[in-house]
Amino acid sequence: MAMKSSSFLAPRSKLPQQALDELRSIIDGYHLMRSASDAGSNSDAEISKLESKLQTSPAQLWWSDLAMAELCVAAILPADQIRSTLPSWRRRLQDVVGSNRYSQYVASAVDISQEQDVDVLRADLMSCIRAVYYFYGSYGVAALSRTRAAERLVAAAIVILAVQAIAFAVAWLLPNIAGSWRAVAALAIATSAAAVVGSVVSVQRRLQDPTVEVDPFYRFIQTDADWFGIAVISPMFGAIFGLLVYGLLVSKLLSTSIVTFQETSSDPLAIALPASVAGYAAVVILGFISGFAEQLIPDALTRIATRALAGVAGGDSTTVQSPAASPFVRSAAKASSDGSNASAVDDATKSTQ
């Protein structure tokens, strides 16, 4: 015997109940205005379709259906109501699209402070309605693109951090690692792990940036197609950059006054360890910055390579030296995560000669 479909198996409405109630209200408002008008309207058929859909299959309704109902209302609004309604729709548009997009719209829109032809105002009103409901419908796509990218990014970072945690445990616990090898390896791995976290924060911050005004559907296509570069390559590069920043600090190709390494010790590897607890913390923080400001280390390496090659071309020694205090930390703080930190890196690498 065939089983009857249970109520909990019914398709879930794509719209919240409040939106369905709003659609009913819009349709009721249309009928009130329509009854006061003797003129025929081409919108009657569309309203009838929406009423039928609302009664028989509300789960299939979408924001575009609300947009259609609002457009039907706008089509029969009298001139005085259009002039009073348009400002409120413009405010809704500004809330939805953001200040930059709204400024571009206003630059080409009609001036409603002056007397305008009613047909021009009606067309402006309809364009506002379409834009508002387009972004209502596409916001879910934008949110989905951010969620998918964030999930993949965190998953890749967890795998990399797990590998680093194992390497850290091995370096710290194995008894046959002599001298300062254990501490040096542990600090290098910790700095690399901090850079991985920095890269995750950097990418996630860009994904969630509300000022990025990209078409939501394009944003979805972009992040979904380039998921490997966003979710995997970024934390992998962060791990590498963390190791590099530690190596650059130890070699004094880059230096900062807040990280002082041990000068003399019976253990030759001790010179790769900071002289204070504050130094250890600073190295790890600089590791985080190297992952967060993604262009910092590549630009620093480019500057070092350029100076070294210039020395070889001129027949000079390629020995790289560093003054006592380089503005590395200050420059790194200025560095942005979107690759706009070339001037900061230029300052940071002035310590290379």
Side-chain angles (χ1 to χ4, degrees), residues 139-160:
Y139 178 79
V141 175
L144 179 60
S145 69
R146 293 193 299 268
T147 300
R148 284 186 179 179
E151 289 174 347
R152 291 163 174 168
L153 176 66
V154 171
I158 288 175
V159 172
I160 295 173

Side-chain angles (χ1 to χ4, degrees), residues 4 22 32 42 72 82 91 95 99 111 125 148 152 176 225 229-230 232 252 263 266 268 282 295 304 313 316 330 336:
K4 295 182 179 179
E22 177 65 15
L32 287 175
N42 295 328
C72 290
I82 290 178
R91 286 192 295 271
D95 292 339
S99 298
D111 184 2
L125 173 61
R148 284 186 179 179
R152 291 163 174 168
N176 59 345
I230 295 172
V232 180
K252 299 189 184 304
E263 297 295 336
S266 58
Q295 284 299 117
I304 292 170
D316 299 330
R330 183 176 69 254
S336 65

Side-chain angles (χ1 to χ4, degrees), residues 215-234:
D215 183 89
F217 289 104
Y218 175 71
R219 183 70 175 267
F220 174 81
I221 295 170
Q222 186 182 41
T223 56
D224 199 56
D226 194 30
W227 70 267
F228 188 83
I230 295 172
V232 180
I233 298 299
S234 291

Side-chain angles (χ1 to χ4, degrees), residues 232-250:
V232 180
I233 298 299
S234 291
M236 284 180 61
F237 276 8
I240 296 171
F241 293 162
L243 292 174
L244 284 173
V245 76
Y246 178 65
L248 290 171
L249 289 170
V250 170

Side-chain angles (χ1 to χ4, degrees), residues 66-271:
L66 273 81
M68 179 58 69
E70 293 280 16
L71 290 172
C72 290
V73 171
I76 63 172
L77 277 178
D80 57 336
Q81 291 191 36
I82 290 178
R83 293 188 178 92
S84 62
T85 301
L86 183 54
S88 64
W89 273 102
R90 285 190 171 186
R91 286 192 295 271
R92 288 180 67 176
L93 179 65
Q94 184 176 14
D95 292 339
V96 171
V97 303
S99 298
N100 291 339
R101 281 197 179 102
Y102 184 74
S103 298
Q104 295 172 4
Y105 155 73
V106 170
S108 59
V110 296
D111 184 2
I112 58 176
S113 64
Q114 305 294 327
E115 188 68 25
Q116 300 288 347
D117 181 77
V118 65
D119 290 333
V120 173
L121 294 178
R122 194 188 305 276
D124 195 318
L125 173 61
M126 288 183 169
S127 68
C128 288
I129 293 171
R130 291 190 188 96
V132 166
Y133 281 103
Y134 168 80
F135 281 94
Y136 279 8
S138 61
Y139 178 79
V141 175
L144 179 60
S145 69
R146 293 193 299 268
T147 300
R148 284 186 179 179
E151 289 174 347
R152 291 163 174 168
L153 176 66
V154 171
I158 288 175
V159 172
I160 295 173
L161 290 172
V163 173
Q164 291 174 327
I166 294 172
F168 184 94
V170 170
W172 191 256
L173 297 177
L174 282 184
N176 59 345
I177 300 181
S180 299
W181 274 108
R182 179 185 289 110
V184 171
L187 180 58
I189 295 170
T191 306
S192 179
V196 173
V197 176
S199 70
V200 171
V201 173
S202 175
V203 174
Q204 187 64 19
R205 188 167 157 270
R206 285 191 306 243
L207 288 173
Q208 302 297 334
D209 188 356
T211 63
V212 177
E213 296 181 348
V214 181
D215 183 89
F217 289 104
Y218 175 71
R219 183 70 175 267
F220 174 81
I221 295 170
Q222 186 182 41
T223 56
D224 199 56
D226 194 30
W227 70 267
F228 188 83
I230 295 172
V232 180
I233 298 299
S234 291
M236 284 180 61
F237 276 8
I240 296 171
F241 293 162
L243 292 174
L244 284 173
V245 76
Y246 178 65
L248 290 171
L249 289 170
V250 170
S251 66
K252 299 189 184 304
L253 291 174
L254 291 176
S255 63
T256 173
S257 58
I258 64 173
V259 181
T260 303
F261 290 92
Q262 299 180 26
E263 297 295 336
T264 59
S265 173
S266 58
D267 185 351
L269 282 175
I271 62 172

Side-chain angles (χ1 to χ4, degrees), residues 32-50:
L32 287 175
M33 283 185 289
R34 186 74 179 84
S35 62
S37 173
D38 295 330
S41 174
N42 295 328
S43 301
D44 292 347
E46 293 296 337
I47 290 295
S48 297
K49 291 179 183 177
L50 291 174

